[in-house]
Amino acid sequence: MNILEAVFLGAVEGLTEFLPVSSTGHLTILESLMGYSPQDPDITAFTAIIQVGAVLATLIYFRRDFQRLIAAWVRGLASRERRADLDYRQAWAVIVGCIPIGIVGLLFKDQIETTLRSLWFVGSALILWSGVMYFADRTARQDRHEKDVTWKDTLIIGVVQCLALIPGVSRSGATMSAGLLRGLDRVAVTKLSFFLSVPALTAAGALQIATEYDSISHGVGWPATITATVVSFAVAYVAVAWLLKFVAKHTYSVFIVYRVILGVVVLALVSTGVVSAT
């Protein structure tokens, strides 16, 4: 992979990681159009690793929130009295919410990296999950806020997040929809989606680095992978700030329409043989 391609894919990853449009779905589509096979080990690893750039952007943007939650969690472990703190309970809520996707991701790793990378799955998931997002967006009460999030909320959201292992569903789209259906407001579910992304994406990227180091070296190449990760970080930082402002005043309608159109285009390209499904 040349550097220009890496910059382009890194920018797409950074832009789409936290938007409810599926970053993995976009990368799978673009990699296919660029002549790469999304099911090749080096391409699969590249796609997971460059997400770490977006994770780093989240950590820096929300550094005060993470510092507060981690400090409260540590204090709570050391002192029973501290366990009544809201931040301590929210820290545990985030931890609990990250568990389901870790278990499911490991159990179905092979299927996720091969079968589900088919563009048939990507296009269909883009369209079908748009229906869920539309329902959640239109029926949400939004009468609960960030301080009202419990471990039960994050566990349910974490279970739904597992569906995002299907490219096209969207991790943020899944978590946001589940959060809205739990009555949380859009800003609260968006921030929660950011928090839940850190352990999941970091673990996925670390696993690919450990297991596919040689595949990257002899395939995509580490210069391209590192370049894409850096670009992903820069673009994601801007995207995070923009999305928080956007969801405070708007519904998810624009994303839903975009997902449906993209899904139809992908299925049309595959069915006409313009691009291979795998």
Side-chain angles (χ1 to χ4, degrees), residues 3 14 58 62 86 113 125 152 155 177 211 214 226 232 243 251 254 258:
I3 296 301
T58 303
F62 292 107
L86 175 62
E113 295 179 355
K152 185 177 180 180
L155 179 59
S177 298
T211 60
D214 290 338
I226 293 171
S232 170
L243 183 59
T251 67
V254 64
Y258 171 77

Side-chain angles (χ1 to χ4, degrees), residues 8-9 12-13 15-16 19-33 47 119 122 126 167-168 258-259 262:
F8 173 63
L9 292 175
V12 171
E13 160 57 31
L15 177 63
T16 59
L19 303 184
V21 296
S22 180
S23 63
T24 303
H26 276 73
L27 290 177
T28 300
I29 294 166
L30 292 172
E31 288 160 355
S32 297
L33 291 173
T47 302
L119 290 185
V122 175
L126 282 166
Y258 171 77
R259 287 173 58 97
L262 179 60

Side-chain angles (χ1 to χ4, degrees), residues 107-233:
L107 288 176
F108 297 98
K109 182 176 182 293
D110 291 340
Q111 292 84 352
I112 293 167
E113 295 179 355
T114 55
T115 305
L116 295 181
R117 295 282 177 174
S118 167
L119 290 185
W120 286 114
F121 278 104
V122 175
S124 299
L126 282 166
I127 297 170
L128 294 176
W129 194 259
S130 295
V132 178
M133 289 179 59
Y134 179 82
F135 177 78
D137 207 27
R138 291 296 181 271
T139 62
R141 304 189 313 271
Q142 297 193 74
D143 54 2
R144 299 173 63 215
H145 310 291
E146 188 177 357
K147 63 181 178 58
D148 301 314
V149 175
T150 67
W151 69 264
K152 185 177 180 180
D153 293 318
T154 56
L155 179 59
I156 292 173
I157 294 170
V159 171
V160 176
Q161 184 179 215
C162 295
L163 294 173
L165 293 171
I166 304 172
V169 169
S170 168
R171 187 198 51 75
S172 57
T175 54
M176 290 175 184
S177 298
L180 287 175
L181 293 174
R182 293 290 297 168
L184 297 170
D185 66 69
R186 288 192 185 89
V187 174
V189 297
T190 301
K191 287 187 68 176
L192 185 57
S193 176
F194 292 146
F195 293 165
L196 291 175
S197 73
V198 172
L201 299 183
T202 301
L207 179 63
Q208 292 294 345
I209 291 173
T211 60
E212 301 296 342
Y213 184 89
D214 290 338
S215 295
I216 290 286
S217 298
H218 298 100
V220 172
W222 281 106
T225 302
I226 293 171
T227 298
T229 303
V230 172
V231 174
S232 170
F233 162 77

